[in-house]
Amino acid sequence: MDKPSAGDRNLRERLGSTLFSRVAGPSGPANRVRIHTAPGPRWFGPDRPIRTVHGDASMFIGGLSALLLQSLHPLAMTAVAAHSGFRGDPWGRLQRTSTFLAVTTYGTAQDAQLAVDRVRAVHERVRGTTAAGTPYRAADPHLLGWVHAAEVDSFLRAHERFGAHPLDAAGYDAYVADAARVATALGVPDPPRDRSSLLALLTAYRPELQATPEALEAARFLLRHPPLPWPARAPYALLAANATALLPSWASGMLGLRRATAPVDGCVRLSGRALTRSIRWAMAPPPGRAS
């Protein structure tokens, strides 16, 4: 294989640096060093499936799909709309979420617990009443259970479809069990520990789900009006198309997102594979440098 030219290496480094700064924020480089090099025991060893899933470029698609799915719970969506600042500071919210995932997946057990403690403290302060007069609080274990189930299902679906090294059925069951470790620390009672129980939990939540005006507005914002410069809009459109295609059919129907016909869906999937390969190429560390 031909050795990449200096121009190729520079392009790769620029793209990778831009993506990383968007996802990880200004503290990203320092956080990365601490997460991966600080001595001490970890919640998850290097061979655990959660490391495989969360370290893959498919997370870009799975993360957006998770946000769309999570928005269908009215109380969870009200809490996000009223308190998270996702419209005013979407990149900040993304960076906080990605850092939390990185710390709990790869960081020391001590740092992982500190990250969980910070999130739980924030959740305790997020509470209010919906326009219909229904009280909510982000620390409600039932709401936490929905957010967790929707997130894990979306990450799993994305990795299964676009992951560089898809797992077998036992591997994905083990991924759900790994994610349950973090969910339990966050206050989710008895989270699912295999894929069948995860799907059963999602089904149990369905009677509570609604496409509220807040959920539909969030979908419009995420899919049609992302806070991106024009050069980034085309690749983001591919990411968004694949994130919506990843949703369960009942969820996309609730959000008013039309399912693609078989030929179009096949093209969308091909674009998703090309996109994740490109992200993987851009963000891979150069030879001799740790990830």
Side-chain angles (χ1 to χ4, degrees), residues 231-245:
R233 294 287 177 100
Y236 184 85
L238 298 180
L239 187 151
N242 281 279
T244 56

PDB file of all heavy atoms in Angstrom, residues 231-245:
ATOM      1  N   PRO A 231     -20.300  24.441   4.930  1.00  0.00           N
ATOM      2  CA  PRO A 231     -19.527  23.299   4.412  1.00  0.00           C
ATOM      3  C   PRO A 231     -19.803  21.991   5.140  1.00  0.00           C
ATOM      4  O   PRO A 231     -19.585  20.912   4.583  1.00  0.00           O
ATOM      5  CB  PRO A 231     -18.068  23.746   4.606  1.00  0.00           C
ATOM      6  CG  PRO A 231     -18.132  25.239   4.616  1.00  0.00           C
ATOM      7  CD  PRO A 231     -19.426  25.577   5.291  1.00  0.00           C
ATOM      8  N   ALA A 232     -20.258  22.098   6.401  1.00  0.00           N
ATOM      9  CA  ALA A 232     -20.514  20.879   7.178  1.00  0.00           C
ATOM     10  C   ALA A 232     -21.930  20.359   7.013  1.00  0.00           C
ATOM     11  O   ALA A 232     -22.253  19.276   7.498  1.00  0.00           O
ATOM     12  CB  ALA A 232     -20.242  21.155   8.658  1.00  0.00           C
ATOM     13  N   ARG A 233     -22.791  21.121   6.316  1.00  0.00           N
ATOM     14  CA  ARG A 233     -24.196  20.725   6.225  1.00  0.00           C
ATOM     15  C   ARG A 233     -24.388  19.427   5.429  1.00  0.00           C
ATOM     16  O   ARG A 233     -25.247  18.619   5.760  1.00  0.00           O
ATOM     17  CB  ARG A 233     -25.018  21.848   5.591  1.00  0.00           C
ATOM     18  CG  ARG A 233     -25.099  23.129   6.427  1.00  0.00           C
ATOM     19  CD  ARG A 233     -25.990  22.959   7.636  1.00  0.00           C
ATOM     20  NE  ARG A 233     -26.033  24.141   8.478  1.00  0.00           N
ATOM     21  CZ  ARG A 233     -27.029  25.026   8.462  1.00  0.00           C
ATOM     22  NH1 ARG A 233     -28.034  24.885   7.623  1.00  0.00           N
ATOM     23  NH2 ARG A 233     -27.000  26.066   9.283  1.00  0.00           N
ATOM     24  N   ALA A 234     -23.630  19.234   4.354  1.00  0.00           N
ATOM     25  CA  ALA A 234     -23.818  18.041   3.516  1.00  0.00           C
ATOM     26  C   ALA A 234     -23.493  16.754   4.273  1.00  0.00           C
ATOM     27  O   ALA A 234     -24.324  15.830   4.305  1.00  0.00           O
ATOM     28  CB  ALA A 234     -23.004  18.154   2.241  1.00  0.00           C
ATOM     29  N   PRO A 235     -22.317  16.647   4.919  1.00  0.00           N
ATOM     30  CA  PRO A 235     -22.069  15.412   5.681  1.00  0.00           C
ATOM     31  C   PRO A 235     -23.041  15.249   6.850  1.00  0.00           C
ATOM     32  O   PRO A 235     -23.430  14.128   7.177  1.00  0.00           O
ATOM     33  CB  PRO A 235     -20.622  15.553   6.160  1.00  0.00           C
ATOM     34  CG  PRO A 235     -20.260  16.973   5.948  1.00  0.00           C
ATOM     35  CD  PRO A 235     -21.096  17.481   4.844  1.00  0.00           C
ATOM     36  N   TYR A 236     -23.451  16.374   7.456  1.00  0.00           N
ATOM     37  CA  TYR A 236     -24.421  16.261   8.548  1.00  0.00           C
ATOM     38  C   TYR A 236     -25.758  15.746   8.021  1.00  0.00           C
ATOM     39  O   TYR A 236     -26.446  14.984   8.719  1.00  0.00           O
ATOM     40  CB  TYR A 236     -24.618  17.609   9.243  1.00  0.00           C
ATOM     41  CG  TYR A 236     -25.547  17.515  10.446  1.00  0.00           C
ATOM     42  CD1 TYR A 236     -25.053  17.147  11.694  1.00  0.00           C
ATOM     43  CD2 TYR A 236     -26.912  17.772  10.324  1.00  0.00           C
ATOM     44  CE1 TYR A 236     -25.896  17.047  12.785  1.00  0.00           C
ATOM     45  CE2 TYR A 236     -27.758  17.676  11.421  1.00  0.00           C
ATOM     46  CZ  TYR A 236     -27.241  17.312  12.647  1.00  0.00           C
ATOM     47  OH  TYR A 236     -28.085  17.193  13.728  1.00  0.00           O
ATOM     48  N   ALA A 237     -26.145  16.129   6.813  1.00  0.00           N
ATOM     49  CA  ALA A 237     -27.389  15.625   6.236  1.00  0.00           C
ATOM     50  C   ALA A 237     -27.340  14.108   6.087  1.00  0.00           C
ATOM     51  O   ALA A 237     -28.348  13.416   6.315  1.00  0.00           O
ATOM     52  CB  ALA A 237     -27.653  16.287   4.886  1.00  0.00           C
ATOM     53  N   LEU A 238     -26.185  13.563   5.731  1.00  0.00           N
ATOM     54  CA  LEU A 238     -26.042  12.110   5.652  1.00  0.00           C
ATOM     55  C   LEU A 238     -26.162  11.484   7.035  1.00  0.00           C
ATOM     56  O   LEU A 238     -26.807  10.443   7.218  1.00  0.00           O
ATOM     57  CB  LEU A 238     -24.694  11.740   5.029  1.00  0.00           C
ATOM     58  CG  LEU A 238     -24.450  12.193   3.590  1.00  0.00           C
ATOM     59  CD1 LEU A 238     -23.056  11.748   3.134  1.00  0.00           C
ATOM     60  CD2 LEU A 238     -25.519  11.646   2.656  1.00  0.00           C
ATOM     61  N   LEU A 239     -25.532  12.119   8.015  1.00  0.00           N
ATOM     62  CA  LEU A 239     -25.624  11.620   9.383  1.00  0.00           C
ATOM     63  C   LEU A 239     -27.075  11.630   9.859  1.00  0.00           C
ATOM     64  O   LEU A 239     -27.563  10.647  10.438  1.00  0.00           O
ATOM     65  CB  LEU A 239     -24.745  12.478  10.300  1.00  0.00           C
ATOM     66  CG  LEU A 239     -24.569  12.009  11.748  1.00  0.00           C
ATOM     67  CD1 LEU A 239     -23.214  12.469  12.268  1.00  0.00           C
ATOM     68  CD2 LEU A 239     -25.668  12.542  12.666  1.00  0.00           C
ATOM     69  N   ALA A 240     -27.792  12.733   9.593  1.00  0.00           N
ATOM     70  CA  ALA A 240     -29.183  12.854  10.034  1.00  0.00           C
ATOM     71  C   ALA A 240     -30.079  11.836   9.349  1.00  0.00           C
ATOM     72  O   ALA A 240     -30.962  11.241   9.973  1.00  0.00           O
ATOM     73  CB  ALA A 240     -29.693  14.269   9.763  1.00  0.00           C
ATOM     74  N   ALA A 241     -29.853  11.608   8.045  1.00  0.00           N
ATOM     75  CA  ALA A 241     -30.665  10.627   7.321  1.00  0.00           C
ATOM     76  C   ALA A 241     -30.493   9.240   7.908  1.00  0.00           C
ATOM     77  O   ALA A 241     -31.457   8.476   8.049  1.00  0.00           O
ATOM     78  CB  ALA A 241     -30.289  10.635   5.840  1.00  0.00           C
ATOM     79  N   ASN A 242     -29.270   8.899   8.279  1.00  0.00           N
ATOM     80  CA  ASN A 242     -29.018   7.586   8.862  1.00  0.00           C
ATOM     81  C   ASN A 242     -29.511   7.488  10.301  1.00  0.00           C
ATOM     82  O   ASN A 242     -29.953   6.423  10.736  1.00  0.00           O
ATOM     83  CB  ASN A 242     -27.528   7.250   8.774  1.00  0.00           C
ATOM     84  CG  ASN A 242     -27.136   6.778   7.393  1.00  0.00           C
ATOM     85  OD1 ASN A 242     -27.332   5.619   7.054  1.00  0.00           O
ATOM     86  ND2 ASN A 242     -26.600   7.692   6.584  1.00  0.00           N
ATOM     87  N   ALA A 243     -29.454   8.591  11.045  1.00  0.00           N
ATOM     88  CA  ALA A 243     -29.974   8.589  12.413  1.00  0.00           C
ATOM     89  C   ALA A 243     -31.481   8.367  12.425  1.00  0.00           C
ATOM     90  O   ALA A 243     -32.013   7.628  13.268  1.00  0.00           O
ATOM     91  CB  ALA A 243     -29.633   9.902  13.111  1.00  0.00           C
ATOM     92  N   THR A 244     -32.197   8.986  11.479  1.00  0.00           N
ATOM     93  CA  THR A 244     -33.643   8.800  11.419  1.00  0.00           C
ATOM     94  C   THR A 244     -33.984   7.402  10.906  1.00  0.00           C
ATOM     95  O   THR A 244     -34.942   6.773  11.385  1.00  0.00           O
ATOM     96  CB  THR A 244     -34.307   9.862  10.536  1.00  0.00           C
ATOM     97  OG1 THR A 244     -33.718   9.828   9.220  1.00  0.00           O
ATOM     98  CG2 THR A 244     -34.102  11.253  11.117  1.00  0.00           C
ATOM     99  N   ALA A 245     -33.204   6.889   9.948  1.00  0.00           N
ATOM    100  CA  ALA A 245     -33.457   5.539   9.438  1.00  0.00           C
ATOM    101  C   ALA A 245     -33.225   4.481  10.512  1.00  0.00           C
ATOM    102  O   ALA A 245     -33.782   3.385  10.446  1.00  0.00           O
ATOM    103  CB  ALA A 245     -32.568   5.259   8.237  1.00  0.00           C
TER     104      ALA A 245
END
